[in-house]
Structures are given as structure tokens and as C-alpha cells.
Amino acid sequence: MTEDMNNIEVKSFSEGDRVKGTVTKIEEKQVLVDLEGSKLDGIIPISELSSLHVEKASDVVHEGEVLDLIVTKVEEELLVLSKRKVDAENAWETLEKRFQNNEVFDAEVNEIVKGGLVVDLGVRGFVPASMVEDHFVEDFSDYQGKTLSFKIVELDKEKNRLILSHRIVIEEEKNREKQAILEKLESGQVIEGTIQRLTDFGAFVDIGGVDGLVHISQLSHEHIEKPSDVVKEGEKVQVKVLSVDRDNERISLSIKETLPGPWSNIAEKAPRGTILEGTVKRLVSFGAFVEVFPGVEGLVHISQISHKHIGTPHEVLQEGQTVKVKVLDVNEADQRLSLSMKELEDQNDQVKDYELPEESKGFQLSDMIGDKLKGFK
């Protein structure tokens, strides 16, 4: 084609025209194409290949590939073209639908930049660091090439602004899981959980995407000063569901109710006749309550405290005192334990009945101590 004919054909194109071109040559900074239905050549500068930064044109296109292009500049004998703008125009239409429909979609992370991630969706999508995860991430280098789920949180075609969030997808998924768990939970269920964090008033336990509270009073059968006395963060525990408030998303749990009670097998641990050491916990008018195992108190009735007559237990006992007791009766079903201190006094203070020597038999007591009696006359 002559130069004049080239000029004539070039002038038949205008900026913004859509054309198709076949890649004929890939150079360092540009790509050459044959235009469909024309003898003209076109060039695509490397900057017009993609919305992302491109190091090598061959990373984006290959020879023989047919591309949809837009004319960006009409020169004397060729056209300057853009693949990026076609991709962007096509993309905006799709992206606007996704934004309106609040759609979740997957995309690959193409670049790690200061402040976040870049995703190529035909236009450059930016994921701020705060919108990547629902927790702090110090180093994003592992995210290069990773496919994540996103939602569009801001879209402005005029300003070429597209903001994406992966965090919102995670949070919504967790919330759905939470609601599903809340619906299934029923009082009385026993399930496994993980201690998430400890507070002064109890422990929060993750039971599969939702946290429940084990109040300090529900951590152990024994009295404890602080939750860390019996549990630690990260520990797996069995919990019983006490109550579920779905409206306020509050779950009350108990570890204590999954553990053997202090009275379990008490008849085996303290059968009748067993001698135990315990601590006087409470004094009442009719006796003393003595703790013989953690959480197990038995009653020493006032009549079983001493052989001596006493008006009140306070006369001989005080709270906190350590005493030895004998089990008189045990009733596991009613959680009752009857104890005696008096019966141990019998054993300790019993006067032994010794036999007199053979040769002393037949003597009167006065004969044995007669001389000593004379001194008192």
C-alpha cells in the first residue's frame, strides 16, 4: 500500500474506535499487531497492555493472539492501541453488577504494594491492609499469587477507583456460622470448646465460631480465686450449655457440670468407719460442718463432738481448725455424711484394763496400799 493510501486509511480511524488485532511481534516495550480488515499496523505500548505494572510484554500476550483493542492515537501511518482500556470497559460493567448485587467473587492477588494488595479485575482493584483479614497481618509477602474471596466496598468509574475487601467476606461467613450454631444450641448439650481468653469473672470459650462464657463459679467444684488457677488460654475443654440468648448472642456455659462432682463415689472414698482429717468450715448450734474432701462437707452433730457435755460447738471448736473425724454414715444420693469426733476420743483416751500379776491375786486393795494410807490418818 502506498504512503498516500496509508494516510487515507489511517484517517478513517478515530480515537475510541474498537478494533481487533493479531499479535505479530512482541518487543521489549511494545507489541505490534495486524489490524483485522486493514493493511495498517498498530502498536500497543507496554503500559497499555494491562491495568497492572508489566515487566515483559510476553507475560501478557503471545504471538498470534487476537485482541480486542481501542484506538488511543492516530499517527501518520499507524495506530496506537490499548488493550487495557478495552479490558477496563468490559470490566466496569461486570464490576458494577457485582457491586449492586453485593456479590462475593474469587480473584488472584497480583501485587503486594505499600498499604495493601492489588488485584487485576480488568481494572486495578486495591485491597487496603485493614481489609485483608479480620486480624493484624505484619507481612503480606505470602499473599502474592494467592486466590482470595472479595466483595467490592467502593466503586467509582469516573475516578477509576475500585476498593475490595476480603475481611468483610470472612466476617460475614463467621457471622453465618455463628447464627447456625446459635440455632442448634440447646440447654443441656455437652460440647468441646477452646479457651479463648480469661477475665476476672470467668473464661470465654470458642465452641466452633461463637464464644460462650463460663462464669468463675462454673469453672470448678472447688472455690477458686481466679480462672487461671484451673484453666489456661488455648486449652481444649468439655462444656455444658446452661442457657442460650439468641437475640443478644449470649451463651452461658459450665465446665463444672461436665466434671465428676465432689460427691461422686463418696461411698467408696469414705466408707463407714473410715478415719479422715478435715477442716472445720462452719459452726452451727447443732454441730460442726467439716470439709473432708474438696467440696465435701460432713456434719459432726453436737452429740458427736465430745464425751464432755458442751452447750455449743464454739466451746471446743473454731472455724479453720483441723480435726480428725470418723465416718458414721454416708449417703451419696442425698450428699450427706455423718461424722464423729467423740468416737476417736474413745480410742485415744481409753484406759487399758491390765491383768494383775499372778502373785498379787487374792490381796485386797487396802493390803497393797495400806502403808501409804497410814500416813493420812
mmCIF file of all heavy atoms in Angstrom, residues 9-58:
data_model
loop_
_atom_site.group_PDB
_atom_site.id
_atom_site.type_symbol
_atom_site.label_atom_id
_atom_site.label_comp_id
_atom_site.label_asym_id
_atom_site.label_seq_id
_atom_site.Cartn_x
_atom_site.Cartn_y
_atom_site.Cartn_z
ATOM 1 N N GLU A 9 -6.204 5.648 4.847
ATOM 2 C CA GLU A 9 -6.811 4.621 5.701
ATOM 3 C C GLU A 9 -6.691 4.993 7.172
ATOM 4 O O GLU A 9 -7.612 4.778 7.943
ATOM 5 C CB GLU A 9 -6.156 3.260 5.433
ATOM 6 C CG GLU A 9 -6.906 2.137 6.139
ATOM 7 C CD GLU A 9 -6.571 0.773 5.581
ATOM 8 O OE1 GLU A 9 -5.731 0.677 4.675
ATOM 9 O OE2 GLU A 9 -7.155 -0.197 6.070
ATOM 10 N N VAL A 10 -5.540 5.575 7.539
ATOM 11 C CA VAL A 10 -5.354 5.999 8.927
ATOM 12 C C VAL A 10 -6.423 7.002 9.315
ATOM 13 O O VAL A 10 -6.996 6.965 10.405
ATOM 14 C CB VAL A 10 -3.943 6.590 9.136
ATOM 15 C CG1 VAL A 10 -3.882 7.391 10.424
ATOM 16 C CG2 VAL A 10 -2.895 5.489 9.164
ATOM 17 N N LYS A 11 -6.714 7.917 8.373
ATOM 18 C CA LYS A 11 -7.679 8.972 8.681
ATOM 19 C C LYS A 11 -9.106 8.450 8.822
ATOM 20 O O LYS A 11 -9.987 9.146 9.300
ATOM 21 C CB LYS A 11 -7.624 10.052 7.596
ATOM 22 C CG LYS A 11 -6.337 10.874 7.665
ATOM 23 C CD LYS A 11 -6.237 11.876 6.531
ATOM 24 C CE LYS A 11 -4.926 12.649 6.612
ATOM 25 N NZ LYS A 11 -4.772 13.591 5.480
ATOM 26 N N SER A 12 -9.295 7.187 8.428
ATOM 27 C CA SER A 12 -10.637 6.614 8.574
ATOM 28 C C SER A 12 -10.889 6.120 10.009
ATOM 29 O O SER A 12 -11.995 5.729 10.353
ATOM 30 C CB SER A 12 -10.832 5.459 7.591
ATOM 31 O OG SER A 12 -9.987 4.371 7.937
ATOM 32 N N PHE A 13 -9.829 6.143 10.826
ATOM 33 C CA PHE A 13 -9.967 5.738 12.228
ATOM 34 C C PHE A 13 -9.966 6.962 13.128
ATOM 35 O O PHE A 13 -9.369 7.995 12.821
ATOM 36 C CB PHE A 13 -8.808 4.824 12.638
ATOM 37 C CG PHE A 13 -8.876 3.449 12.010
ATOM 38 C CD1 PHE A 13 -8.201 3.175 10.824
ATOM 39 C CD2 PHE A 13 -9.622 2.441 12.604
ATOM 40 C CE1 PHE A 13 -8.262 1.923 10.250
ATOM 41 C CE2 PHE A 13 -9.672 1.178 12.032
ATOM 42 C CZ PHE A 13 -9.001 0.911 10.848
ATOM 43 N N SER A 14 -10.620 6.835 14.247
ATOM 44 C CA SER A 14 -10.653 7.914 15.242
ATOM 45 C C SER A 14 -10.356 7.342 16.624
ATOM 46 O O SER A 14 -10.537 6.134 16.879
ATOM 47 C CB SER A 14 -12.034 8.588 15.274
ATOM 48 O OG SER A 14 -12.377 9.087 14.016
ATOM 49 N N GLU A 15 -9.926 8.205 17.509
ATOM 50 C CA GLU A 15 -9.687 7.781 18.890
ATOM 51 C C GLU A 15 -10.980 7.228 19.478
ATOM 52 O O GLU A 15 -12.059 7.798 19.297
ATOM 53 C CB GLU A 15 -9.199 8.958 19.744
ATOM 54 C CG GLU A 15 -7.769 9.365 19.451
ATOM 55 C CD GLU A 15 -7.282 10.464 20.392
ATOM 56 O OE1 GLU A 15 -7.892 10.624 21.480
ATOM 57 O OE2 GLU A 15 -6.311 11.154 20.041
ATOM 58 N N GLY A 16 -10.871 6.111 20.191
ATOM 59 C CA GLY A 16 -12.045 5.493 20.798
ATOM 60 C C GLY A 16 -12.650 4.376 19.973
ATOM 61 O O GLY A 16 -13.510 3.640 20.468
ATOM 62 N N ASP A 17 -12.201 4.245 18.712
ATOM 63 C CA ASP A 17 -12.727 3.165 17.870
ATOM 64 C C ASP A 17 -12.302 1.812 18.435
ATOM 65 O O ASP A 17 -11.171 1.648 18.918
ATOM 66 C CB ASP A 17 -12.194 3.287 16.430
ATOM 67 C CG ASP A 17 -12.867 4.411 15.656
ATOM 68 O OD1 ASP A 17 -13.857 4.953 16.178
ATOM 69 O OD2 ASP A 17 -12.390 4.728 14.553
ATOM 70 N N ARG A 18 -13.213 0.837 18.334
ATOM 71 C CA ARG A 18 -12.907 -0.535 18.739
ATOM 72 C C ARG A 18 -12.422 -1.294 17.521
ATOM 73 O O ARG A 18 -13.045 -1.244 16.456
ATOM 74 C CB ARG A 18 -14.160 -1.234 19.273
ATOM 75 C CG ARG A 18 -14.627 -0.759 20.644
ATOM 76 C CD ARG A 18 -13.908 -1.531 21.747
ATOM 77 N NE ARG A 18 -14.561 -1.341 23.022
ATOM 78 C CZ ARG A 18 -14.970 -2.324 23.800
ATOM 79 N NH1 ARG A 18 -14.803 -3.574 23.424
ATOM 80 N NH2 ARG A 18 -15.521 -2.076 24.959
ATOM 81 N N VAL A 19 -11.301 -2.013 17.658
ATOM 82 C CA VAL A 19 -10.748 -2.802 16.555
ATOM 83 C C VAL A 19 -10.247 -4.139 17.094
ATOM 84 O O VAL A 19 -10.090 -4.310 18.295
ATOM 85 C CB VAL A 19 -9.574 -2.063 15.864
ATOM 86 C CG1 VAL A 19 -10.041 -0.755 15.217
ATOM 87 C CG2 VAL A 19 -8.435 -1.793 16.853
ATOM 88 N N LYS A 20 -10.005 -5.079 16.143
ATOM 89 C CA LYS A 20 -9.387 -6.343 16.503
ATOM 90 C C LYS A 20 -8.014 -6.401 15.850
ATOM 91 O O LYS A 20 -7.843 -5.942 14.718
ATOM 92 C CB LYS A 20 -10.223 -7.519 16.021
ATOM 93 C CG LYS A 20 -11.445 -7.835 16.889
ATOM 94 C CD LYS A 20 -12.101 -9.128 16.440
ATOM 95 C CE LYS A 20 -13.326 -9.449 17.277
ATOM 96 N NZ LYS A 20 -12.961 -9.786 18.667
ATOM 97 N N GLY A 21 -7.046 -6.934 16.575
ATOM 98 C CA GLY A 21 -5.705 -7.036 16.019
ATOM 99 C C GLY A 21 -5.046 -8.346 16.404
ATOM 100 O O GLY A 21 -5.297 -8.888 17.487
ATOM 101 N N THR A 22 -4.217 -8.859 15.493
ATOM 102 C CA THR A 22 -3.489 -10.101 15.756
ATOM 103 C C THR A 22 -2.044 -9.763 16.072
ATOM 104 O O THR A 22 -1.380 -9.027 15.315
ATOM 105 C CB THR A 22 -3.541 -11.027 14.523
ATOM 106 O OG1 THR A 22 -4.910 -11.300 14.208
ATOM 107 C CG2 THR A 22 -2.813 -12.333 14.806
ATOM 108 N N VAL A 23 -1.546 -10.294 17.164
ATOM 109 C CA VAL A 23 -0.176 -10.006 17.590
ATOM 110 C C VAL A 23 0.799 -10.639 16.591
ATOM 111 O O VAL A 23 0.760 -11.850 16.348
ATOM 112 C CB VAL A 23 0.093 -10.556 19.005
ATOM 113 C CG1 VAL A 23 1.553 -10.316 19.406
ATOM 114 C CG2 VAL A 23 -0.851 -9.931 20.015
ATOM 115 N N THR A 24 1.659 -9.765 16.012
ATOM 116 C CA THR A 24 2.649 -10.264 15.045
ATOM 117 C C THR A 24 4.060 -10.258 15.614
ATOM 118 O O THR A 24 4.908 -11.040 15.194
ATOM 119 C CB THR A 24 2.617 -9.411 13.761
ATOM 120 O OG1 THR A 24 2.853 -8.037 14.101
ATOM 121 C CG2 THR A 24 1.268 -9.552 13.061
ATOM 122 N N LYS A 25 4.312 -9.360 16.563
ATOM 123 C CA LYS A 25 5.664 -9.270 17.111
ATOM 124 C C LYS A 25 5.604 -8.689 18.527
ATOM 125 O O LYS A 25 4.861 -7.741 18.788
ATOM 126 C CB LYS A 25 6.541 -8.385 16.213
ATOM 127 C CG LYS A 25 8.017 -8.418 16.589
ATOM 128 C CD LYS A 25 8.839 -7.595 15.602
ATOM 129 C CE LYS A 25 10.321 -7.674 15.913
ATOM 130 N NZ LYS A 25 11.139 -6.844 15.002
ATOM 131 N N ILE A 26 6.396 -9.263 19.420
ATOM 132 C CA ILE A 26 6.460 -8.761 20.798
ATOM 133 C C ILE A 26 7.854 -8.197 21.029
ATOM 134 O O ILE A 26 8.855 -8.923 20.932
ATOM 135 C CB ILE A 26 6.158 -9.884 21.805
ATOM 136 C CG1 ILE A 26 4.732 -10.413 21.594
ATOM 137 C CG2 ILE A 26 6.314 -9.386 23.239
ATOM 138 C CD1 ILE A 26 4.393 -11.613 22.441
ATOM 139 N N GLU A 27 7.912 -6.905 21.280
ATOM 140 C CA GLU A 27 9.197 -6.251 21.569
ATOM 141 C C GLU A 27 9.270 -5.923 23.052
ATOM 142 O O GLU A 27 8.339 -6.189 23.813
ATOM 143 C CB GLU A 27 9.324 -4.992 20.705
ATOM 144 C CG GLU A 27 9.328 -5.317 19.206
ATOM 145 C CD GLU A 27 9.466 -4.062 18.339
ATOM 146 O OE1 GLU A 27 9.348 -2.944 18.880
ATOM 147 O OE2 GLU A 27 9.687 -4.225 17.128
ATOM 148 N N GLU A 28 10.396 -5.331 23.444
ATOM 149 C CA GLU A 28 10.627 -5.082 24.865
ATOM 150 C C GLU A 28 9.587 -4.141 25.463
ATOM 151 O O GLU A 28 9.058 -4.382 26.550
ATOM 152 C CB GLU A 28 12.033 -4.504 25.076
ATOM 153 C CG GLU A 28 12.402 -4.388 26.557
ATOM 154 C CD GLU A 28 13.812 -3.846 26.761
ATOM 155 O OE1 GLU A 28 14.556 -3.733 25.770
ATOM 156 O OE2 GLU A 28 14.140 -3.530 27.913
ATOM 157 N N LYS A 29 9.282 -3.063 24.734
ATOM 158 C CA LYS A 29 8.410 -2.040 25.298
ATOM 159 C C LYS A 29 7.092 -1.879 24.558
ATOM 160 O O LYS A 29 6.304 -0.983 24.866
ATOM 161 C CB LYS A 29 9.130 -0.676 25.319
ATOM 162 C CG LYS A 29 10.353 -0.620 26.214
ATOM 163 C CD LYS A 29 9.953 -0.858 27.683
ATOM 164 C CE LYS A 29 11.182 -0.814 28.607
ATOM 165 N NZ LYS A 29 10.829 -1.121 30.003
ATOM 166 N N GLN A 30 6.847 -2.715 23.549
ATOM 167 C CA GLN A 30 5.600 -2.599 22.800
ATOM 168 C C GLN A 30 5.283 -3.908 22.082
ATOM 169 O O GLN A 30 6.124 -4.793 21.956
ATOM 170 C CB GLN A 30 5.676 -1.454 21.798
ATOM 171 C CG GLN A 30 6.727 -1.657 20.719
ATOM 172 C CD GLN A 30 6.862 -0.455 19.802
ATOM 173 O OE1 GLN A 30 6.473 0.655 20.151
ATOM 174 N NE2 GLN A 30 7.420 -0.670 18.621
ATOM 175 N N VAL A 31 4.053 -3.973 21.590
ATOM 176 C CA VAL A 31 3.575 -5.140 20.850
ATOM 177 C C VAL A 31 3.037 -4.652 19.511
ATOM 178 O O VAL A 31 2.297 -3.662 19.447
ATOM 179 C CB VAL A 31 2.459 -5.863 21.638
ATOM 180 C CG1 VAL A 31 1.839 -6.975 20.792
ATOM 181 C CG2 VAL A 31 3.004 -6.429 22.951
ATOM 182 N N LEU A 32 3.431 -5.332 18.411
ATOM 183 C CA LEU A 32 2.942 -4.990 17.081
ATOM 184 C C LEU A 32 1.784 -5.910 16.717
ATOM 185 O O LEU A 32 1.819 -7.110 16.985
ATOM 186 C CB LEU A 32 4.057 -5.133 16.047
ATOM 187 C CG LEU A 32 5.341 -4.300 16.293
ATOM 188 C CD1 LEU A 32 6.340 -4.535 15.169
ATOM 189 C CD2 LEU A 32 5.014 -2.819 16.401
ATOM 190 N N VAL A 33 0.756 -5.314 16.064
ATOM 191 C CA VAL A 33 -0.416 -6.098 15.664
ATOM 192 C C VAL A 33 -0.830 -5.760 14.235
ATOM 193 O O VAL A 33 -0.605 -4.639 13.749
ATOM 194 C CB VAL A 33 -1.612 -5.846 16.615
ATOM 195 C CG1 VAL A 33 -1.308 -6.317 18.022
ATOM 196 C CG2 VAL A 33 -2.042 -4.391 16.612
ATOM 197 N N ASP A 34 -1.412 -6.741 13.544
ATOM 198 C CA ASP A 34 -2.091 -6.526 12.272
ATOM 199 C C ASP A 34 -3.559 -6.271 12.572
ATOM 200 O O ASP A 34 -4.170 -7.045 13.322
ATOM 201 C CB ASP A 34 -1.980 -7.760 11.375
ATOM 202 C CG ASP A 34 -0.684 -7.781 10.578
ATOM 203 O OD1 ASP A 34 -0.041 -6.730 10.490
ATOM 204 O OD2 ASP A 34 -0.328 -8.877 10.080
ATOM 205 N N LEU A 35 -4.090 -5.210 12.000
ATOM 206 C CA LEU A 35 -5.489 -4.885 12.251
ATOM 207 C C LEU A 35 -6.393 -5.665 11.304
ATOM 208 O O LEU A 35 -6.137 -5.741 10.103
ATOM 209 C CB LEU A 35 -5.725 -3.384 12.080
ATOM 210 C CG LEU A 35 -4.974 -2.484 13.086
ATOM 211 C CD1 LEU A 35 -5.262 -1.031 12.805
ATOM 212 C CD2 LEU A 35 -5.368 -2.846 14.503
ATOM 213 N N GLU A 36 -7.439 -6.204 11.838
ATOM 214 C CA GLU A 36 -8.380 -7.001 11.064
ATOM 215 C C GLU A 36 -9.097 -6.104 10.045
ATOM 216 O O GLU A 36 -9.588 -5.023 10.380
ATOM 217 C CB GLU A 36 -9.404 -7.637 12.017
ATOM 218 C CG GLU A 36 -10.263 -8.696 11.380
ATOM 219 C CD GLU A 36 -11.182 -9.356 12.386
ATOM 220 O OE1 GLU A 36 -10.713 -10.214 13.173
ATOM 221 O OE2 GLU A 36 -12.369 -8.982 12.410
ATOM 222 N N GLY A 37 -9.100 -6.554 8.751
ATOM 223 C CA GLY A 37 -9.798 -5.799 7.707
ATOM 224 C C GLY A 37 -9.067 -4.558 7.264
ATOM 225 O O GLY A 37 -9.645 -3.658 6.645
ATOM 226 N N SER A 38 -7.755 -4.494 7.602
ATOM 227 C CA SER A 38 -6.981 -3.308 7.233
ATOM 228 C C SER A 38 -5.552 -3.731 6.962
ATOM 229 O O SER A 38 -5.070 -4.756 7.447
ATOM 230 C CB SER A 38 -7.031 -2.268 8.355
ATOM 231 O OG SER A 38 -6.115 -1.229 8.112
ATOM 232 N N LYS A 39 -4.870 -2.927 6.122
ATOM 233 C CA LYS A 39 -3.453 -3.176 5.856
ATOM 234 C C LYS A 39 -2.562 -2.417 6.827
ATOM 235 O O LYS A 39 -1.345 -2.472 6.733
ATOM 236 C CB LYS A 39 -3.112 -2.746 4.422
ATOM 237 C CG LYS A 39 -3.893 -3.513 3.355
ATOM 238 C CD LYS A 39 -3.520 -4.977 3.370
ATOM 239 C CE LYS A 39 -4.214 -5.718 2.222
ATOM 240 N NZ LYS A 39 -3.891 -7.160 2.237
ATOM 241 N N LEU A 40 -3.205 -1.706 7.775
ATOM 242 C CA LEU A 40 -2.435 -0.891 8.713
ATOM 243 C C LEU A 40 -1.838 -1.735 9.837
ATOM 244 O O LEU A 40 -2.363 -2.783 10.207
ATOM 245 C CB LEU A 40 -3.332 0.181 9.334
ATOM 246 C CG LEU A 40 -3.775 1.331 8.436
ATOM 247 C CD1 LEU A 40 -4.757 2.214 9.181
ATOM 248 C CD2 LEU A 40 -2.567 2.158 7.975
ATOM 249 N N ASP A 41 -0.705 -1.226 10.347
ATOM 250 C CA ASP A 41 -0.111 -1.820 11.543
ATOM 251 C C ASP A 41 -0.564 -1.012 12.765
ATOM 252 O O ASP A 41 -0.895 0.173 12.665
ATOM 253 C CB ASP A 41 1.418 -1.782 11.469
ATOM 254 C CG ASP A 41 1.965 -2.727 10.410
ATOM 255 O OD1 ASP A 41 1.321 -3.781 10.210
ATOM 256 O OD2 ASP A 41 2.992 -2.404 9.805
ATOM 257 N N GLY A 42 -0.548 -1.666 13.877
ATOM 258 C CA GLY A 42 -0.842 -0.984 15.126
ATOM 259 C C GLY A 42 0.186 -1.354 16.175
ATOM 260 O O GLY A 42 0.812 -2.421 16.102
ATOM 261 N N ILE A 43 0.372 -0.473 17.131
ATOM 262 C CA ILE A 43 1.290 -0.790 18.228
ATOM 263 C C ILE A 43 0.542 -0.626 19.565
ATOM 264 O O ILE A 43 -0.321 0.252 19.705
ATOM 265 C CB ILE A 43 2.560 0.085 18.216
ATOM 266 C CG1 ILE A 43 2.221 1.567 18.429
ATOM 267 C CG2 ILE A 43 3.349 -0.119 16.949
ATOM 268 C CD1 ILE A 43 3.427 2.406 18.772
ATOM 269 N N ILE A 44 0.892 -1.506 20.468
ATOM 270 C CA ILE A 44 0.346 -1.409 21.835
ATOM 271 C C ILE A 44 1.533 -1.157 22.767
ATOM 272 O O ILE A 44 2.374 -2.046 22.963
ATOM 273 C CB ILE A 44 -0.353 -2.705 22.266
ATOM 274 C CG1 ILE A 44 -1.357 -3.186 21.217
ATOM 275 C CG2 ILE A 44 -1.049 -2.510 23.611
ATOM 276 C CD1 ILE A 44 -1.877 -4.591 21.463
ATOM 277 N N PRO A 45 1.647 0.067 23.302
ATOM 278 C CA PRO A 45 2.723 0.311 24.277
ATOM 279 C C PRO A 45 2.560 -0.635 25.463
ATOM 280 O O PRO A 45 1.440 -1.032 25.819
ATOM 281 C CB PRO A 45 2.489 1.771 24.695
ATOM 282 C CG PRO A 45 1.662 2.356 23.601
ATOM 283 C CD PRO A 45 0.801 1.242 23.097
ATOM 284 N N ILE A 46 3.661 -1.024 26.081
ATOM 285 C CA ILE A 46 3.606 -1.975 27.192
ATOM 286 C C ILE A 46 2.711 -1.477 28.316
ATOM 287 O O ILE A 46 2.047 -2.261 29.000
ATOM 288 C CB ILE A 46 5.047 -2.285 27.696
ATOM 289 C CG1 ILE A 46 5.020 -3.527 28.626
ATOM 290 C CG2 ILE A 46 5.664 -1.078 28.395
ATOM 291 C CD1 ILE A 46 6.395 -4.069 28.951
ATOM 292 N N SER A 47 2.616 -0.155 28.486
ATOM 293 C CA SER A 47 1.784 0.429 29.547
ATOM 294 C C SER A 47 0.294 0.257 29.269
ATOM 295 O O SER A 47 -0.537 0.441 30.163
ATOM 296 C CB SER A 47 2.098 1.916 29.719
ATOM 297 O OG SER A 47 1.837 2.603 28.499
ATOM 298 N N GLU A 48 -0.051 -0.078 27.991
ATOM 299 C CA GLU A 48 -1.455 -0.214 27.615
ATOM 300 C C GLU A 48 -1.890 -1.674 27.496
ATOM 301 O O GLU A 48 -2.966 -1.977 27.000
ATOM 302 C CB GLU A 48 -1.728 0.515 26.291
ATOM 303 C CG GLU A 48 -1.648 2.021 26.392
ATOM 304 C CD GLU A 48 -2.673 2.590 27.375
ATOM 305 O OE1 GLU A 48 -3.823 2.101 27.385
ATOM 306 O OE2 GLU A 48 -2.320 3.502 28.155
ATOM 307 N N LEU A 49 -1.027 -2.566 27.977
ATOM 308 C CA LEU A 49 -1.370 -3.988 27.922
ATOM 309 C C LEU A 49 -2.241 -4.427 29.103
ATOM 310 O O LEU A 49 -3.060 -5.332 28.982
ATOM 311 C CB LEU A 49 -0.098 -4.839 27.902
ATOM 312 C CG LEU A 49 0.650 -4.898 26.567
ATOM 313 C CD1 LEU A 49 1.980 -5.617 26.749
ATOM 314 C CD2 LEU A 49 -0.177 -5.592 25.499
ATOM 315 N N SER A 50 -2.012 -3.817 30.267
ATOM 316 C CA SER A 50 -2.705 -4.268 31.474
ATOM 317 C C SER A 50 -2.867 -3.110 32.448
ATOM 318 O O SER A 50 -2.132 -2.123 32.387
ATOM 319 C CB SER A 50 -1.910 -5.397 32.134
ATOM 320 O OG SER A 50 -2.428 -5.719 33.406
ATOM 321 N N SER A 51 -3.818 -3.263 33.356
ATOM 322 C CA SER A 51 -4.006 -2.260 34.409
ATOM 323 C C SER A 51 -2.916 -2.384 35.464
ATOM 324 O O SER A 51 -2.732 -1.494 36.286
ATOM 325 C CB SER A 51 -5.376 -2.430 35.065
ATOM 326 O OG SER A 51 -5.487 -3.714 35.651
ATOM 327 N N LEU A 52 -2.186 -3.489 35.436
ATOM 328 C CA LEU A 52 -1.086 -3.711 36.371
ATOM 329 C C LEU A 52 0.241 -3.321 35.732
ATOM 330 O O LEU A 52 0.350 -3.191 34.517
ATOM 331 C CB LEU A 52 -1.032 -5.182 36.793
ATOM 332 C CG LEU A 52 -2.291 -5.747 37.460
ATOM 333 C CD1 LEU A 52 -2.103 -7.231 37.709
ATOM 334 C CD2 LEU A 52 -2.596 -5.018 38.749
ATOM 335 N N HIS A 53 1.252 -3.179 36.578
ATOM 336 C CA HIS A 53 2.595 -2.919 36.066
ATOM 337 C C HIS A 53 3.103 -4.185 35.364
ATOM 338 O O HIS A 53 3.011 -5.288 35.892
ATOM 339 C CB HIS A 53 3.534 -2.561 37.215
ATOM 340 C CG HIS A 53 4.966 -2.439 36.796
ATOM 341 N ND1 HIS A 53 5.424 -1.404 36.024
ATOM 342 C CD2 HIS A 53 6.036 -3.264 37.011
ATOM 343 C CE1 HIS A 53 6.713 -1.579 35.787
ATOM 344 N NE2 HIS A 53 7.105 -2.695 36.388
ATOM 345 N N VAL A 54 3.616 -4.015 34.142
ATOM 346 C CA VAL A 54 4.086 -5.143 33.337
ATOM 347 C C VAL A 54 5.587 -5.017 33.105
ATOM 348 O O VAL A 54 6.062 -3.985 32.625
ATOM 349 C CB VAL A 54 3.353 -5.192 31.974
ATOM 350 C CG1 VAL A 54 3.920 -6.320 31.114
ATOM 351 C CG2 VAL A 54 1.858 -5.368 32.183
ATOM 352 N N GLU A 55 6.334 -6.037 33.456
ATOM 353 C CA GLU A 55 7.782 -6.056 33.226
ATOM 354 C C GLU A 55 8.100 -6.478 31.793
ATOM 355 O O GLU A 55 8.922 -5.865 31.114
ATOM 356 C CB GLU A 55 8.458 -7.036 34.206
ATOM 357 C CG GLU A 55 8.461 -6.575 35.649
ATOM 358 C CD GLU A 55 9.427 -5.439 35.903
ATOM 359 O OE1 GLU A 55 10.301 -5.180 35.046
ATOM 360 O OE2 GLU A 55 9.283 -4.776 36.953
ATOM 361 N N LYS A 56 7.431 -7.530 31.315
ATOM 362 C CA LYS A 56 7.657 -8.042 29.964
ATOM 363 C C LYS A 56 6.319 -8.210 29.259
ATOM 364 O O LYS A 56 5.383 -8.794 29.827
ATOM 365 C CB LYS A 56 8.380 -9.391 30.006
ATOM 366 C CG LYS A 56 9.783 -9.344 30.593
ATOM 367 C CD LYS A 56 10.475 -10.704 30.455
ATOM 368 C CE LYS A 56 9.715 -11.780 31.208
ATOM 369 N NZ LYS A 56 10.381 -13.108 31.104
ATOM 370 N N ALA A 57 6.247 -7.716 28.019
ATOM 371 C CA ALA A 57 5.000 -7.828 27.260
ATOM 372 C C ALA A 57 4.595 -9.288 27.064
ATOM 373 O O ALA A 57 3.410 -9.632 27.029
ATOM 374 C CB ALA A 57 5.154 -7.133 25.904
ATOM 375 N N SER A 58 5.596 -10.163 26.962
ATOM 376 C CA SER A 58 5.307 -11.588 26.746
ATOM 377 C C SER A 58 4.616 -12.227 27.946
ATOM 378 O O SER A 58 4.088 -13.335 27.839
ATOM 379 C CB SER A 58 6.602 -12.342 26.424
ATOM 380 O OG SER A 58 7.543 -12.182 27.477
#
